[in-house]
């Protein structure tokens, strides 16, 4: 639950809105750039979305509980913009929970990179789990591309 101190201040609500809008605009820009270039498959482009940005910013500027809520909200909004939205939303929820848990005491740059790595690895685990769901139709090249995109997205 969001703490009353966060929702009681207008600056806290404004900060959550700015973080959400910034990350959604960044995601929209990435999807538009990948669609315009044509070099990246749309199924892979969805996993390039910056799920780590709202989690890390909210955990750094507020607290980890609020970071989970903002992460789940932005992952839902980002997944609705991209193809294969349910897979992306599950990956985003997993990244939100694990990223916020590891970002509790985010004080150094090195720890921020480790949290980004955890977020990327959690998304890779989701890709492998979703591939195992229908492994007969899965293309190993697409799965590896999606895994690489998840790792890049974590940083």
């Amino acid at each position: 639950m969001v703490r009353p101190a966060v929702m009681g201040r207008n600056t806290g609500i404004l900060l959550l809105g700015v973080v959400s809008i910034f990350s959604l605009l960044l995601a929209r820009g990435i999807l538009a750039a990948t669609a315009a270039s044509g070099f990246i498959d749309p199924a892979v482009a969805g996993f390039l979305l910056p799920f780590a940005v709202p989690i890390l910013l909210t955990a750094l500027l507020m607290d980890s509980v609020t970071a989970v809520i903002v992460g789940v909200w932005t992952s839902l909004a980002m997944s609705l913009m991209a193809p294969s939205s349910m897979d992306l939303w599950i990956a985003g929820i997993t990244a939100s929970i694990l990223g916020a848990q590891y970002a509790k005491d985010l004080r150094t740059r090195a720890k921020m990179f480790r949290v980004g790595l955890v977020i990327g690895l959690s998304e890779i685990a989701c890709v492998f789990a979703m591939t195992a769901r229908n492994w007969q139709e899965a293309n190993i090249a697409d799965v590896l591309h999606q895994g690489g995109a998840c790792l890049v997205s974590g940083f």
Side-chain angles (χ1 to χ4, degrees):
M1 176 158 266
V2 178
R3 299 205 168 49
V6 172
M7 297 309 287
R9 298 185 327 238
N10 288 338
T11 56
I13 296 171
L14 181 65
L15 180 65
L16 294 176
V18 167
V19 167
S20 296
I21 290 172
F22 172 72
S23 60
L24 292 176
L25 287 175
L26 186 62
R28 188 67 196 147
I30 289 172
L31 287 174
T34 56
S37 71
F39 291 123
I40 299 175
D41 184 25
V44 175
F47 289 97
L48 281 173
L49 296 179
F51 290 115
V53 170
I55 301 164
L56 291 175
L57 283 175
T58 308
L60 185 64
L61 299 172
M62 296 185 131
D63 62 351
S64 61
V65 175
T66 310
V68 170
I69 294 169
V70 170
V72 168
W73 150 245
T74 55
S75 66
L76 173 64
M78 285 182 204
S79 67
L80 291 176
M81 287 191 262
S84 67
S85 61
M86 188 59 147
D87 296 344
L88 285 175
W89 192 41
I90 291 170
I93 288 174
T94 306
S96 298
I97 293 170
L98 286 175
Q101 197 67 309
Y102 279 96
K104 280 184 178 177
D105 298 321
L106 198 60
R107 299 287 179 248
T108 62
R109 209 173 294 147
K111 183 158 183 181
M112 184 175 288
F113 281 118
R114 282 193 301 257
V115 172
L117 181 65
V118 165
I119 290 172
L121 291 175
S122 70
E123 290 178 26
I124 288 173
C126 288
V127 166
F128 289 155
M130 290 174 226
T131 302
R133 192 177 54 185
N134 57 357
W135 62 273
Q136 289 93 0
E137 298 142 15
N139 183 359
I140 191 69
D142 287 343
V143 173
L144 292 177
H145 288 134
Q146 287 175 347
C150 289
L151 199 58
V152 168
S153 148
F155 290 111

